[in-house]
Amino acid sequence: MNLNPYAPEDPTPLAFTEPWEYELAFPRDPRGPGIARTTLRAVLDAHHLLELADRAELLTSELATNSVRHSKGPASVRLRWTHPVLRVSVTDTCPYLPLPTAPPTAEAEDGRGLFILDLVSDEWGGCALGDSLLGPGGKTVWFELVLKPATPPPPPPALAA
């Protein structure tokens, strides 16, 4: 029984097709991408979207690692679900958008990020953020994964007469 008349009732879980959004901010620290991956998987598990988790983890790890390596400040990861699309955005303080390059060679030690985004995501992009009173605005790089409809079950076998 709720004795406080101003306290909200316990919330009902969102329906699968209802939109939701989560955001995690992390400092420029090499542990940040791992924490972002763990958080992303926990959110996708809670919303019964584990079939997107492996691809989302790989791409989030790539973008979050680049943020830690190439920016001088904190970063954030935002997850947004608008059925059937999961959009993951990584925002950091580096104002320069990544530039597409030729596919990396087998010996290359880096430069695979955009190539992986092209191969694994359903869509991706980025945008520079405007300057503010606090300095350069940075950038956001995002990707989308589309939840494919479940394969319909095969028709039942015909009954013998």
Side-chain angles (χ1 to χ4, degrees):
M1 173 178 214
N2 187 355
L3 299 178
N4 182 349
Y6 301 105
E9 296 295 320
D10 288 338
T12 304
L14 294 172
F16 186 72
T17 56
E18 287 294 315
W20 50 258
E21 196 167 305
Y22 292 85
E23 186 169 8
L24 170 71
F26 57 94
R28 184 175 182 263
D29 182 283
R31 294 168 286 206
I35 293 168
R37 283 191 308 272
T38 302
T39 303
L40 174 127
R41 185 166 284 275
V43 168
L44 295 181
D45 184 23
H47 285 279
H48 305 290
L49 290 167
L50 277 178
E51 66 187 86
L52 298 177
D54 289 340
R55 293 190 306 149
E57 257 188 295
L58 171 67
L59 298 175
T60 300
S61 182
E62 183 63 37
L63 295 179
T65 299
N66 284 346
S67 289
V68 169
R69 289 181 67 203
H70 300 295
S71 71
K72 293 185 186 326
S76 65
V77 175
R78 177 175 289 193
L79 313 174
R80 187 177 68 178
W81 171 253
T82 52
H83 182 68
V85 178
L86 174 69
R87 177 180 274 209
V88 178
S89 305
V90 177
T91 301
D92 63 39
T93 60
C94 178
Y96 306 110
L97 288 168
L99 297 172
T101 59
T105 64
E107 299 81 29
E109 293 186 19
D110 57 14
R112 291 182 174 82
L114 298 182
F115 187 69
I116 292 170
L117 275 170
D118 275 338
L119 288 175
V120 178
S121 71
D122 293 308
E123 189 80 33
W124 73 273
C127 60
L129 304 175
D131 291 343
S132 72
L133 294 174
L134 302 175
K139 70 172 173 311
T140 297
V141 179
W142 55 268
F143 65 86
E144 292 181 344
L145 301 176
V146 178
L147 183 66
K148 307 296 186 226
T151 307
L159 296 174

